[in-house]
Amino acid sequence: MTIPDPVSPPSSLAALEARLAQDLAYLGWPARNWMPARQAAGGETMIDVAIIGGGQAGLAASVALAQLGIRAVIFDRSPAGSEGPWATTARMETLRSPKELTGPALGLPALTFRAWFEAQFGLEAWTALDKIPRLQWMDYLVWYRRVMNVDVRNGMAVTAVQPLPDAAGVRLELRSGDGERSSVLARRLVLATGRDGLGGPAVPAFVNALPRSKWAHSSDEMDYGRLRGLRVGVIGAGSSAMDSAATALEAGAHSVELLIRRPDLPRVNKGKGAGVPGLTHGHYDLPDELKWRIRHYINVLNVPPPHGSTLRVSRHPNAFFNFGCPVLSVEPKGEGMVVSTPRGDFEFDFLIVSTGFKVDWPNRPEFAAIAPHVRTWKDRFTPAPGDEDQELADSPDLGPAFEFKERSPGECPGLARIHCFCYPAALSHGTVSGDIPAISDGAKRLASGIASLFYREDFDQHWAYLQEFAEPELFGDEWTPALPPQERNR
């Protein structure tokens, strides 16, 4: 996709940044830090809030906390500019969301993608723009981080998360890119870890028959140039399947066969139809059965791949859409494989499985200390017969500030100090913790919830401060006491 040339001042990025800085000053953002300093028993200083993940959810959470006077530090394993999937594993040409959505701007017009885009390319280019180019969204997030002065520590992988036994905080064990190990202590921890936030790819068992060099999940980092001249099979027909198929075709694959278990592609994005403010702000308060009903309904009907992504595949004469083709078996054959389906056998040189993600605690060893103790929906809710849904059953049962709950009370003190601000929160809170449309609403809910928890926890200190507060409004010399009426005219 062609990106227009930047325009000349006065519609410049510098002018936009000056406008944003003035708006922030008018709003008092970031707010005064009102948090009492805390130290652990050994004198170690505690971070107010640590955030794992520097993508759009982590950035929005940090900025929303700053608006309330709470300082956060983000730790991300990726180098700067590669946080999230946009510059690594995402392969769409453009975002799927409408360009007008304000995303993580948190109500600040000068912080929106549109303001950033128009400042560089002008209104005419914005009008001509259909969807936001994927890599340009990454550029915007890099700018967002800079102008909002977000504290991100890159190249820092979290290797262990351990709530403290006295429930006073959470310890993070870290490893830098050069292997150096360290640890930090935070009063609260936010997991802004994305679509695979509590697990990883959902990998079908049939790939176990193949060498790892012969298959990839659509979320794997991979040079698609290696597929040139190869017969490629793609399992699935969702957005990532289309993006993977198109990327393989554009890289010169001999052919791409999409094996689609459904008899047809879904046509309507029901999730888009659910995206109204009432649901955004009211999902958490719905009865359990209604939360399950709406999320299960969307899961069953599936989200169709975007129109443009589908055309990006179908315009290639060597792309084939095979419906009613669930995989029955996969067997190696020479340097390739045979994939059997109800509609016949297919021979491939390479297989891409686009089968989504799942909650998979064993795949996240950094969470080993908390995984057995997190209460999930299956621990307390039984759906109606026929409405079973493994994704929903495995979802964590979260509190109002996205905090984890213990499966057995008292077994993991401090677990509630960890907040799940990533995709698996969708059943409890709705899609406000990762997707662009409502990420600001989710970040504000998270920040206000954490502020409330901190205030209750520190109430004695705030009460003592209130009692000791002695900044005078009046000094006693602003008036002269009146004489009694009978003495005034003597």
Side-chain angles (χ1 to χ4, degrees):
M1 173 167 291
T2 302
I3 296 176
D5 294 328
V7 298
S8 301
S11 296
S12 68
L13 201 57
L16 175 65
E17 291 176 12
R19 171 184 152 198
L20 175 62
Q22 188 173 58
D23 289 343
L24 293 171
Y26 286 159
L27 292 168
W29 193 337
R32 175 182 63 84
N33 188 354
W34 53 276
M35 295 284 295
R38 279 292 185 94
Q39 291 184 327
E44 182 179 0
T45 300
M46 300 180 74
I47 298 170
D48 290 339
V49 178
I51 299 173
I52 302 177
Q56 64 188 22
L59 294 176
S62 177
V63 173
L65 287 163
Q67 184 186 22
L68 300 182
I70 301 171
R71 304 299 183 253
V73 178
I74 295 177
F75 299 94
D76 195 288
R77 64 190 175 191
S78 301
S82 295
E83 302 88 352
W86 311 110
T88 54
T89 60
R91 296 182 178 90
M92 71 284 277
E93 292 182 312
T94 66
L95 302 193
R96 296 156 189 149
S97 304
K99 66 179 182 180
E100 294 83 6
L101 295 179
T102 57
L106 293 162
L108 294 166
L111 192 58
T112 59
F113 175 86
R114 177 174 180 173
W116 175 84
F117 183 93
E118 286 191 14
Q120 298 172 92
F121 310 113
L123 176 59
E124 185 175 341
W126 171 260
T127 303
L129 184 69
D130 177 29
K131 295 285 182 64
I132 297 171
R134 167 177 55 87
L135 293 178
Q136 199 167 50
W137 182 255
M138 184 74 249
D139 292 341
Y140 160 71
L141 292 176
V142 169
W143 174 80
Y144 180 109
R145 165 183 170 174
R146 177 175 64 81
V147 295
M148 297 307 290
N149 196 30
V150 182
D151 187 352
V152 183
R153 316 285 172 88
N154 287 99
M156 300 297 288
V158 177
T159 59
V161 168
Q162 179 66 64
L164 299 187
D166 58 3
V170 183
R171 182 168 294 283
L172 277 67
E173 301 293 338
L174 304 164
R175 184 182 64 244
S176 67
D178 58 10
E180 183 178 349
R181 295 185 178 274
S182 61
S183 70
V184 297
L185 198 55
R187 294 186 63 185
R188 291 192 173 270
L189 172 65
V190 173
L191 306 182
T193 42
R195 183 64 179 79
D196 60 342
L198 302 180
V203 178
F206 57 69
V207 300
N208 294 334
L210 300 174
R212 189 62 178 88
S213 60
K214 292 296 182 180
W215 68 272
H217 190 270
S218 56
S219 66
D220 289 344
E221 289 193 50
M222 188 182 80
D223 176 13
Y224 272 56
R226 63 185 282 203
L227 303 181
R228 176 178 293 277
L230 300 186
R231 301 164 299 171
V232 178
V234 175
I235 310 299
S239 299
S240 60
M242 292 299 169
D243 296 333
S244 294
T247 305
L249 290 160
E250 291 159 3
H254 174 272
S255 60
V256 171
E257 303 266 2
L258 289 99
L259 304 186
I260 306 164
R261 60 183 174 82
R262 289 172 173 267
D264 197 0
L265 291 180
R267 307 298 172 90
V268 177
N269 183 350
K270 293 290 186 174
K272 183 178 179 181
V276 297
L279 185 64
T280 297
H281 297 285
H283 181 94
Y284 183 80
D285 296 319
L286 288 174
D288 290 346
E289 59 270 17
L290 298 187
K291 289 182 181 181
W292 189 281
R293 181 196 297 178
I294 196 165
R295 296 305 309 164
H296 179 62
Y297 178 73
I298 292 171
N299 281 355
V300 168
L301 292 183
N302 269 2
V303 175
H307 176 75
S309 296
T310 308
L311 291 177
R312 185 182 167 201
V313 176
S314 63
R315 67 175 175 235
H316 293 270
N318 53 336
F320 303 93
F321 292 72
N322 301 282
F323 296 99
C325 279
V327 174
L328 300 177
S329 66
V330 177
E331 298 292 339
K333 181 180 180 182
E335 293 297 310
M337 70 199 73
V338 176
V339 178
S340 297
T341 78
R343 294 190 59 194
D345 295 343
F346 295 82
E347 293 194 12
F348 300 129
D349 302 303
F350 195 85
L351 191 66
I352 299 172
V353 292
S354 182
T355 43
F357 300 91
K358 64 177 181 178
V359 173
D360 182 12
W361 293 104
N363 194 51
R364 305 299 287 261
E366 67 269 34
F367 300 141
I370 65 171
H373 307 292
V374 173
R375 189 167 85 174
T376 64
W377 273 72
K378 65 175 173 283
D379 295 322
R380 67 167 187 81
F381 180 80
T382 302
D387 287 345
E388 295 82 4
D389 191 314
Q390 193 63 51
E391 176 188 306
L392 302 185
D394 291 338
S395 297
D397 176 28
L398 302 176
F402 297 86
E403 69 272 28
F404 286 128
K405 298 177 182 180
E406 292 174 280
R407 177 175 285 133
S408 299
E411 284 193 355
C412 189
L415 180 63
R417 291 181 173 276
I418 303 177
H419 304 258
C420 179
F421 193 58
C422 51
Y423 181 81
L427 180 54
S428 291
H429 280 268
T431 51
V432 297
S433 55
D435 292 345
I436 289 172
I439 190 66
S440 285
D441 299 293
K444 290 178 181 179
R445 184 184 307 171
L446 173 74
S448 63
I450 288 177
S452 174
L453 291 167
F454 274 142
Y455 186 75
R456 277 180 275 169
E457 182 178 330
D458 298 334
F459 180 80
D460 289 344
Q461 288 174 271
H462 293 300
W463 171 243
Y465 175 78
L466 175 61
Q467 291 176 298
E468 295 166 3
F469 184 75
E471 180 182 310
E473 295 289 335
L474 297 173
F475 297 92
D477 59 358
E478 293 89 357
W479 68 91
T480 301
L483 295 170
Q486 61 273 24
E487 297 181 19
R488 292 179 187 175
N489 296 319
R490 292 180 182 177

